[in-house]
Amino acid sequence: MSNLSDIGFHAKGDEGINEMIMSVLDSAKEIRCDGGFYLRFSDSSGAELFLQGNASHEMIGFNPHFSGKSRRKVALLHTIVRDTSELDGAFHAVANPDSSRPETGEFEFVFDVPDFRLAKVGDMPHLAEIELTAFGSNDFKLFDSGESLAAAGGGWSEKSFVPPGLAELLSDPNVNLSMLRPIAKISGIVVEHEVRKNSVSGNEFNWLLVETVGGCVDVVIDPVYVPEQPRVGQVAAGHFWLSGRFL
């Protein structure tokens, strides 16, 4: 239930969250699933909320998402069931899988899915196409070039997509899959940028289409974390929470 301000919802505390939920209920569409239902709110800005209800029609949670332009091929390797609610979940996947050996590809990563129980997944590895959104945080930075990014230190390159600690966790045969987090250290070239406005809250947020390893990713971020107005051709970098939906 974090990253709300990255799509223009500045709800804080139980009262603020309840007000946010009430503000989108009338326009949210119900989608039935095993174990309950989702209420999907979709805004003209691309901001989305997936409210969760169980079989007893009790609200049990929600997740933000953003519907953007990114598209990428993946092979799903493992299903990850979260303990936050019965409708939460994620997938461990490989990006741009090899056509003859789909369990291999460019790199592995984990992404949360806001409508997890709607996923129709067969035997693994399962080929799919997703839209992938990266929600930014307070370490977001912009650089004029890959050279200036590298000069800043920290082992960054112009294009990178590195899920911290994922390889180490997966090397443990006894790893609990719920420990795999949808976090990645990403850098890439800004190919599009817009300031979007959430039509419900009236708050603005930044959307960037960033070209990185494996293709483009939609980046959304609260303006308070953006040091300057992004420009096409700059390099964006930071740590991001990943949310994906199947196409």
Side-chain angles (χ1 to χ4, degrees):
M1 295 192 298
S2 59
N3 306 102
L4 290 170
S5 66
D6 287 336
I7 53 171
F9 285 112
H10 292 179
K12 295 182 179 179
D14 291 344
E15 183 177 350
I17 288 173
N18 286 336
E19 290 177 356
M20 178 194 69
I21 290 173
M22 294 303 297
S23 72
V24 303
L25 272 181
D26 287 344
S27 55
K29 296 182 179 180
E30 182 176 327
I31 310 170
R32 305 297 302 182
C33 65
D34 292 341
F37 60 94
Y38 295 99
L39 293 174
R40 179 189 181 189
F41 164 76
S42 185
D43 185 57
S44 58
S45 66
E48 295 191 333
L49 283 175
F50 285 80
L51 310 177
Q52 302 173 353
N54 63 18
S56 300
H57 292 272
E58 300 168 320
M59 299 304 297
I60 58 173
F62 66 87
N63 284 300
H65 185 65
F66 178 85
S67 180
K69 292 186 176 182
S70 64
R71 302 289 184 269
R72 69 176 56 212
K73 303 287 186 181
V74 299
L76 307 179
L77 304 178
H78 296 101
T79 300
I80 303 170
V81 178
R82 302 293 191 204
D83 58 8
T84 44
S85 94
E86 56 260 47
L87 300 187
D88 275 342
F91 287 96
H92 167 221
V94 61
N96 295 331
D98 186 276
S99 58
S100 59
R101 297 180 62 232
E103 69 277 9
T104 64
E106 285 196 70
F107 60 90
E108 296 179 25
F109 68 107
V110 174
F111 62 98
D112 278 347
V113 180
D115 51 356
F116 173 72
R117 291 295 177 186
L118 298 178
K120 305 300 181 185
V121 177
D123 294 337
M124 304 287 188
H126 178 88
L127 298 178
E129 184 178 17
I130 64 170
E131 61 178 20
L132 187 66
T133 296
F135 285 71
S137 60
N138 59 1
D139 74 340
F140 179 84
K141 293 181 174 61
L142 291 165
F143 298 86
D144 288 334
S145 66
E147 289 78 10
S148 59
L149 170 62
W156 292 92
S157 58
E158 185 176 73
K159 294 181 183 180
S160 61
F161 196 119
V162 181
L166 181 61
E168 291 79 1
L169 281 171
L170 291 173
S171 66
D172 181 354
N174 299 314
V175 66
N176 182 339
L177 291 179
S178 66
M179 296 174 62
L180 305 183
R181 310 312 300 171
I183 304 297
K185 178 181 176 180
I186 298 174
S187 59
I189 300 169
V190 178
V191 295
E192 291 187 47
H193 167 256
E194 290 180 11
V195 175
R196 302 283 182 96
K197 179 180 283 189
N198 185 311
S199 66
V200 172
S201 68
N203 296 318
E204 294 182 340
F205 62 94
N206 283 275
W207 165 76
L208 303 88
L209 189 64
V210 174
E211 183 182 338
T212 183
V213 178
C216 287
V217 61
D218 291 289
V219 170
V220 289
I221 185 164
D222 188 328
V224 73
Y225 297 139
V226 181
E228 60 184 273
Q229 186 77 351
R231 302 188 308 275
V232 171
Q234 285 186 304
V235 178
H239 287 78
F240 300 87
W241 169 65
L242 303 177
S243 176
R245 288 195 71 225
F246 296 101
L247 299 171

